[in-house]
Amino acid sequence: MTEFTPKNAAFHSLLADTDEGEPDGGYLCPAAAELALGEVADGVVVTDPYGRIRYSNPLASELCGSLVGLLPGQLLASSLLLYGDGGERLDLGLDSGVAAGSIPSRRELRGNIRREGGTLLEVSVVIHCLREGVNLKGYVLVLRHTSEVRRISSRLSWQSSHDALTHLPNRQTFEHALQQLLGSGASPRQHHILLYLDVYQFKVVNDTLGYSAGDALLIALTKILTRCLGEGDLLGRVGSDEFALLLRDCTLEEAKRIVTRLREAVNGFVFQWEDSETRPALSIGAVSVDHRAPPASQLLASANDACSAARDQGRNRVKFFGDSRKALAKRRESTWLAEIHAAIREDRLLLYRQPVVALQDKNRVHHYEVLVRMQGRDGDVISPGLFLPAAERYGIIDEVDRWVIRKIFRYMALEQSSGAAGFHYAINISGISLGDELFADFVLRELTEAGVAPSRVQFEITETSAINNLDRALVFIHKLRAAGCSFALDDFGRGASSLAYLRQLPVDYLKIDGSFVRNMLEDEIDSAMVSTVDHLAKRMGISTIAEFAETPELLEKLRLMGVDYAQGFGIAAAACLPEISGPRPSSSVN
């Protein structure tokens, strides 16, 4: 983690500027400065000459105990309350009435920040004065724990409660804040609004432009939404392309005006990526929150249902939660149940594959992961993120699993009969199928009937599903491994119990969770996590696979680190299974 030093203070005044125009030579652009300050291990706040906040990095908010953050336009003196050891208020001295020449360039205060619950946090505050000639331009404040251990602990605490990409509170933190609001003994007259926002057709951006474009779009939308926030409002990222916004002390009429402002702000934005232009839109669900409201998790589910109903009506729609949750769930259930059953019956599910390459063997294709898509009635390909969660929620994912098993085994048999040995394939198994005592026998029977060599088959199970069905998972793994199949533990590192259960699961591969891999070039903690998992796996005789390998630089770093295999957009996107004809395709990806 990088420390903030006075030597790089010169460019901080740029953070409050817009992106219009180019900065003078020798200066960092605002985006670069903001990214750099977001990663340092100190809290950094930039103010104007009057002490109004122009910028604060995430660690400043963490030190102050604020989920919302120190918002631009607020007076720092009212947002950062510093107390002496005797309990007296300490004056930060951000006074523009004093002649600029008489203000010291650097001064330091030591005091305590009173956080939620009354606990005191001992900090040092270094105040740098920014001048342009004789004119006072503002201040840069550096907030630092007096203990190095506490500083690192603060950084880790922030990372566990916030989204690494957007720096917004994550779902768990947002839900906790919402539950705290519900349990604060609010007056019957208090009324709040919870909004659930979905980026319409976000997956199209990911599929056509790549994950880097999708990340850039989310960051841009976060900035747009943040500008629309009022003091006390809370915005969080609660899904891959989903946000939640809590409007405190807000009536229904006020919420409608805010929703209109949000939609207009997003509608006016054109996302440019290389030679492509995209006009994003929002689907918004809303639910009222008062003293009679159900728990936070149910409120979020209701808002999500309303958002889904808005999305079903088309782009840029809003739905205020009026139906009962049961009615909305029933409507969604009947729609998806019928559609998935029809897709299986009419053979409208599609098999895709994505290569997994050997990093230590010139990126030679080692095997392919099998992925499933759905072809809509209009011919469009439907993303798995739309129908697979519904299949899992309503208990029909095992029918999808069985369809995939039959289809891929037949395809592999065709590969063998064409005269080539054929590739190896990794097949995802859901938690429901893993818990089905008959599923292992079904797989073995299909293997035998298709005549596929078991050594060509790998099964991927998620850490969560394995832990939730541990006894069944062990039976399934032992039966299929005895037949010659191999196993991979997917999303390793995402759950809190990863290490505790790893020794009980006889797997051949660990798939390192992509949330650590994709940012490891910029985040030393993520890089250390990947290195640690790889080292642990090697000690246990397990090979490692890195997900979300998206750039040549990232692939090279993984190779030098010793990771065995990788897959991701930087290697190749998922594609339809090729028709089997002619000679066997090349087994290298450059």
Side-chain angles (χ1 to χ4, degrees):
M1 287 176 284
T2 305
E3 291 191 18
F4 177 88
T5 63
K7 293 181 180 179
N8 54 26
F11 62 80
H12 297 320
S13 61
L14 294 172
L15 288 170
D17 299 336
T18 65
D19 290 335
E20 297 176 2
E22 295 292 332
D24 295 334
Y27 282 77
L28 287 178
C29 69
E34 184 171 346
L35 179 62
L37 290 178
E39 296 300 321
V40 300
D42 299 319
V44 179
V45 183
V46 182
T47 77
D48 66 8
Y50 303 95
R52 286 191 295 264
I53 298 170
R54 303 172 73 180
Y55 168 81
S56 68
N57 73 346
L59 260 294
S61 299
E62 168 63 25
L63 290 172
C64 295
S66 171
L67 285 176
V68 176
L70 303 177
L71 298 178
Q74 293 180 339
L75 282 172
L76 183 60
S78 61
S79 303
L80 174 61
L81 305 181
L82 199 63
Y83 297 88
D85 292 335
E88 72 280 8
R89 278 284 302 277
L90 299 180
D91 185 8
L92 295 174
L94 309 184
D95 187 358
S96 64
V98 179
S102 63
I103 301 175
S105 297
R106 181 188 184 279
R107 53 197 173 90
E108 182 174 354
L109 297 174
R110 288 187 176 270
N112 303 281
I113 296 175
R114 181 167 288 128
R115 294 160 61 93
E116 186 176 339
T119 59
L120 294 177
L121 188 69
E122 185 178 349
V123 296
S124 70
V125 182
V126 180
I127 303 173
H128 300 277
C129 176
L130 293 180
R131 296 187 179 89
E132 188 174 286
V134 297
N135 298 320
L136 176 66
K137 301 297 292 182
Y139 301 92
V140 175
L141 293 86
V142 182
L143 285 66
R144 179 174 297 172
H145 275 314
T146 54
S147 163
E148 180 69 18
V149 174
R150 286 182 178 179
R151 292 176 61 222
I152 296 176
S153 174
S154 175
R155 170 71 172 167
L156 294 175
S157 173
W158 183 89
Q159 286 187 327
S160 67
S161 61
H162 288 71
D163 171 54
L165 178 67
T166 62
H167 292 174
L168 295 175
N170 58 25
R171 185 183 186 93
Q172 181 180 2
T173 304
F174 186 93
E175 188 172 322
H176 178 69
L178 178 58
Q179 190 59 50
Q180 280 191 317
L181 179 68
L182 297 175
S184 61
S187 165
R189 295 184 179 181
Q190 278 191 308
H191 188 269
H192 320 282
I193 297 293
L194 174 64
L195 302 179
Y196 204 100
L197 298 84
D198 176 88
V199 182
Y200 190 73
Q201 291 189 338
F202 170 75
K203 289 179 175 57
V204 174
V205 175
N206 267 348
D207 292 344
T208 58
L209 302 179
Y211 291 113
S212 296
D215 288 350
L217 175 58
L218 290 176
I219 292 171
L221 289 176
T222 297
K223 293 181 178 180
I224 292 171
L225 296 174
T226 301
R227 294 190 195 109
C228 299
L229 292 179
E231 186 173 352
D233 294 339
L234 177 63
L235 178 67
R237 185 185 180 194
V238 294
S240 62
D241 59 337
E242 297 168 335
F243 300 86
L245 174 56
L246 178 62
L247 306 175
R248 290 188 174 98
D249 296 319
C250 182
T251 66
L252 190 60
E253 291 303 316
E254 289 171 334
K256 289 180 178 179
R257 289 194 291 270
I258 293 172
V259 166
T260 299
R261 188 162 70 243
L262 290 171
R263 292 167 65 191
E264 290 177 347
V266 173
N267 286 345
F269 171 64
V270 178
F271 176 66
Q272 295 182 326
W273 185 262
E274 296 177 348
D275 298 329
S276 176
E277 286 190 356
T278 303
R279 293 184 177 272
L282 296 177
S283 301
I284 303 177
V287 62
S288 296
V289 181
D290 56 26
H291 69 289
R292 297 169 298 181
S297 59
Q298 188 173 337
L299 279 171
L300 279 169
S302 297
N304 185 18
D305 284 340
C307 182
S308 297
R311 185 173 58 242
D312 291 343
Q313 294 172 4
R315 61 183 283 124
N316 208 24
R317 300 300 178 91
V318 180
K319 182 167 182 62
F320 280 81
F321 187 81
D323 302 334
S324 69
R325 187 172 174 219
K326 179 183 286 187
L328 279 169
K330 185 176 180 180
R331 181 170 68 245
R332 292 173 62 197
E333 177 181 348
S334 61
T335 300
W336 279 116
L337 280 174
E339 190 61 22
I340 294 171
H341 281 306
I344 294 175
R345 185 175 61 253
E346 298 164 10
D347 212 28
R348 286 192 288 106
L349 292 181
L350 306 171
L351 289 186
Y352 279 51
R353 70 181 189 181
Q354 186 176 32
V356 178
V357 301
L359 293 174
Q360 310 304 324
D361 190 12
K362 300 180 180 180
N363 287 3
R364 178 183 59 84
V365 173
H366 180 263
H367 66 273
Y368 287 93
E369 180 181 1
V370 179
L371 304 168
V372 64
R373 305 286 190 267
M374 180 191 291
Q375 187 175 42
R377 298 179 186 275
D378 57 0
D380 289 342
V381 176
I382 300 173
S383 168
L386 296 178
F387 68 92
L388 286 185
E392 290 180 346
R393 178 176 177 179
Y394 303 119
I396 58 173
I397 188 65
D398 57 334
E399 295 184 38
V400 177
D401 287 345
R402 289 172 182 259
W403 184 93
V404 170
I405 291 288
R406 293 189 186 101
K407 287 291 184 180
I408 192 60
F409 283 179
R410 291 174 190 172
Y411 183 85
M412 294 170 72
L414 285 175
E415 278 189 334
Q416 288 181 187
S417 64
S418 69
F423 290 105
H424 293 209
Y425 289 88
I427 306 166
N428 291 281
I429 301 298
S430 69
I432 292 178
S433 295
L434 200 60
D436 182 357
E437 61 183 0
L438 302 177
F439 191 73
D441 292 333
F442 162 78
V443 173
L444 290 171
R445 186 170 59 252
E446 291 294 325
L447 262 178
T448 302
E449 292 179 2
V452 172
S455 60
R456 295 178 57 201
V457 179
Q458 179 189 129
F459 293 100
E460 289 191 10
I461 58 176
T462 65
E463 177 187 335
T464 303
S465 65
I467 292 171
N468 290 341
N469 304 277
L470 187 58
D471 292 337
R472 293 290 184 194
L474 290 173
V475 171
F476 183 85
I477 293 173
H478 285 302
K479 275 191 175 183
L480 273 298
R481 286 191 92 214
C485 301
S486 59
F487 278 82
L489 190 59
D490 200 5
D491 298 336
F492 185 79
R494 179 181 295 178
S497 305
S498 301
L499 298 178
Y501 287 93
L502 179 58
R503 300 180 74 177
Q504 300 183 51
L505 295 168
V507 296
D508 308 279
Y509 303 88
L510 283 187
K511 298 194 75 173
I512 305 171
D513 188 74
S515 62
F516 298 116
V517 176
R518 71 193 312 175
N519 297 317
M520 59 180 286
L521 292 180
E522 297 80 25
D523 192 312
E524 64 182 20
I525 293 178
D526 286 347
S527 180
M529 284 291 295
V530 173
S531 178
T532 300
V533 171
D534 181 71
H535 178 72
L536 175 66
K538 295 294 195 303
R539 293 294 298 270
M540 299 179 69
I542 301 173
S543 298
T544 49
I545 303 172
E547 299 175 297
F548 291 175
E550 297 174 2
T551 65
E553 294 81 7
L554 188 52
L555 285 169
E556 181 63 11
K557 177 71 178 289
L558 290 166
R559 186 186 68 80
L560 294 174
M561 191 176 283
V563 175
D564 300 297
Y565 307 100
Q567 71 179 115
F569 201 90
I571 300 167
C576 286
L577 291 178
E579 294 186 8
I580 299 176
S581 60
R584 178 177 176 174
S586 172
S587 60
S588 295
V589 173
N590 295 321

